[in-house]
Amino acid sequence: MKIGLAIESLDAARGGAEQWTSQYAQWLAKAGHEVHVVASQFGDDVENSIIQHRVARAETRIEFAQATEEALESLDLDVTHDMGSGWQCDVFQPHGGSRTAAFEQNLLLLPGWMRPIKRLTAHRLPRYREFQRLLMGQYMAEDRIFIALSQRVAHDFERFHGVRRGQIRVVYNGVDTDRFSPDHTPRYRQIVRDELGVGDGDTLLLIVAHNFRLKGVPTLIAAVERLRRQGWPVKLAVVGGKRRPRKGRRGDSVVFVGPARETVPYYAAADVYVQPTFYDPCSLVVLEAWASGLPVVTSRFNGAGELMTPGREGALVDDPANVAELCAALEPFLDPGVRVASCAAARALALRHSLGRNCRDLLAVYEEVAARRRRAAA
């Protein structure tokens, strides 16, 4: 099958969507498909089996969507699959979920009195009007298949964009269970814990994030400080940072690691992964944590939370801003005995949601597109 993928950047070092798409393109090529990728930027590690089509870096999102459309139409492809930035495709899979839903969730970061003002003023900005034009092109096609990364995202597609349920296929993210595995623990755990100043009796919490406010880092830091006041020997490692490297310590309880190209050592060093996010379609880092054998505490606004049984592979909180609720959700997993069973359950859950499973589910959607075309041509 000749497959076209569209994404702004095919560079695994840039983030979750880029990393996932890079892995997916490689999987498709190894499965024998002819894979074309249209992007404005390619990483140095893109394999030769991937056919690159570079479009000029655009000044606006509309210009990129138009350039991508022209590039895809010039190719004789069996199926086209856009990762969320263009508007010409058979399959549309916005890895960031619904932009409108994300905007609404971001409002929760503001004081209540500011939210209606922000909503009103945002609609008048040129950037917002550009988004609206882009969304019109992305969601108005009646014959397009929409990939939702979770049931939450599927609901957002219906609620905010008027997509018919029959156009939506829910395909959860998958994880490379060889790269992310408890097998790496003996190699990295003690080295990294020593570097972070974590003692043998300490419970190390971990979060990997770029947008600290959206992912709930302030709530998590406050929860760690409260737990320490209550006598729990907990520490937190914050890996990542959106705009600039941020390294250093906050007393004895929090270490800001800064951006890390390789996160496997930090999963190996940690005891619990925590992400009280305000919005995540289906967090890849949560799947990576489960694959590494870590219980996960996240919020109900994370589509990945739909995959787990609370109390077994981790826990869910209802309010990402509620420090007391987060502390209560964390406390059971501060017990090493509880973590033994949770770690095994977490790994088993990740194995059921491997990258291979994820790729095969998407390939089935492509077959659906191809079958539809054969029927139309008959």
Side-chain angles (χ1 to χ4, degrees):
M1 186 177 285
K2 294 178 66 176
I3 300 168
L5 307 179
I7 188 170
E8 287 190 61
S9 172
L10 191 70
D11 184 352
R14 288 179 60 88
E18 294 84 359
Q19 176 183 305
W20 180 91
T21 305
S22 180
Q23 291 176 317
Y24 178 54
Q26 293 173 24
W27 185 92
L28 288 172
K30 288 176 182 176
H33 301 281
E34 184 177 310
V35 183
H36 299 254
V37 178
V38 175
S40 60
Q41 181 180 349
F42 290 87
D44 297 332
D45 57 349
V46 177
E47 295 186 359
N48 293 332
S49 57
I50 308 302
I51 304 169
Q52 301 179 25
H53 301 273
R54 190 184 301 271
V55 298
R57 190 178 297 276
E59 293 294 327
T60 68
R61 292 173 175 83
I62 300 301
E63 290 177 3
F64 178 80
Q66 291 169 335
T68 302
E69 178 180 10
E70 292 173 5
L72 290 171
E73 288 181 342
S74 70
L75 304 172
D76 182 22
L77 300 169
D78 296 315
V79 63
T80 54
H81 181 173
D82 191 282
M83 301 302 165
S85 298
W87 56 24
Q88 174 61 40
C89 57
D90 301 302
V91 179
F92 185 64
Q93 181 182 6
H95 284 262
S98 161
R99 289 185 186 273
T100 307
F103 173 81
E104 292 295 324
Q105 289 301 117
N106 268 283
L107 291 178
L108 297 179
L109 299 171
L110 301 175
W113 64 269
M114 285 186 63
R115 295 171 193 171
I117 299 173
K118 177 70 173 180
R119 187 179 286 110
L120 179 63
T121 56
H123 289 189
R124 298 178 179 177
L125 297 174
R127 181 170 176 265
Y128 179 85
R129 292 196 294 269
E130 179 186 325
F131 272 131
Q132 289 303 106
R133 183 182 170 192
L134 182 64
L135 293 176
M136 286 281 289
Q138 290 172 338
Y139 287 98
M140 291 299 104
E142 294 187 0
D143 59 345
R144 183 165 295 162
I145 292 179
F146 295 85
I147 302 294
L149 299 184
S150 61
Q151 294 292 345
R152 167 170 289 278
V153 174
H155 175 70
D156 290 340
F157 286 171
E158 293 181 277
R159 176 187 176 191
F160 293 110
H161 306 290
V163 179
R164 292 180 290 105
R165 188 69 190 196
Q167 293 177 265
I168 302 171
R169 308 292 180 271
V170 175
V171 181
Y172 292 97
N173 277 330
V175 62
D176 184 340
T177 54
D178 292 325
R179 179 184 174 196
F180 298 97
S181 167
D183 293 344
H184 302 303
T185 300
R187 177 181 178 185
Y188 293 116
R189 183 175 175 84
Q190 196 58 53
I191 294 173
V192 176
R193 288 173 74 91
D194 288 345
E195 290 176 352
L196 297 176
V198 180
D200 292 340
D202 293 331
T203 300
L204 179 61
L205 311 181
L206 172 68
I207 184 170
V208 179
H210 294 298
N211 188 334
F212 287 175
R213 291 186 68 210
L214 185 66
K215 304 301 181 177
V217 172
T219 307
L220 177 53
I221 291 173
V224 167
E225 293 174 344
R226 178 178 294 194
L227 288 169
R228 287 175 65 86
R229 289 195 299 270
Q230 294 173 353
W232 294 100
V234 296
K235 291 191 175 183
L236 170 65
V238 180
V239 176
K242 188 174 182 180
R243 293 184 176 85
R244 58 183 174 82
R246 181 179 182 181
K247 298 182 180 181
R249 293 180 179 272
R250 179 167 173 166
D252 295 326
S253 59
V254 182
V255 180
F256 291 97
V257 175
R261 187 177 183 89
E262 180 55 82
T263 55
V264 167
Y266 296 100
Y267 290 119
D271 298 300
V272 184
Y273 185 84
V274 195
Q275 188 164 302
T277 181
F278 285 81
Y279 187 74
D280 252 310
C282 183
S283 175
L284 279 167
V285 290
V286 164
L287 286 160
E288 292 168 2
W290 280 327
S292 302
L294 297 180
V296 170
V297 177
T298 188
S299 79
R300 64 183 179 88
F301 298 115
N302 187 345
E306 297 171 9
L307 300 175
M308 73 167 161
T309 302
R312 186 164 64 190
E313 299 93 359
L316 292 175
V317 296
D318 291 324
D319 182 358
N322 190 317
V323 175
E325 184 187 8
L326 182 58
C327 288
L330 280 167
E331 283 185 11
F333 301 101
L334 303 182
D335 182 338
V338 171
R339 286 202 303 272
V340 171
S342 293
C343 290
R347 176 63 180 176
L349 176 61
L351 290 173
R352 296 195 297 272
H353 294 278
S354 67
L355 180 64
R357 187 278 309 159
N358 188 188
C359 296
R360 288 189 294 273
D361 287 350
L362 288 171
L363 198 57
V365 175
Y366 294 175
E367 296 292 351
E368 182 181 347
V369 171
R372 179 188 297 173
R373 286 184 175 169
R374 287 194 294 269
R375 289 193 300 269

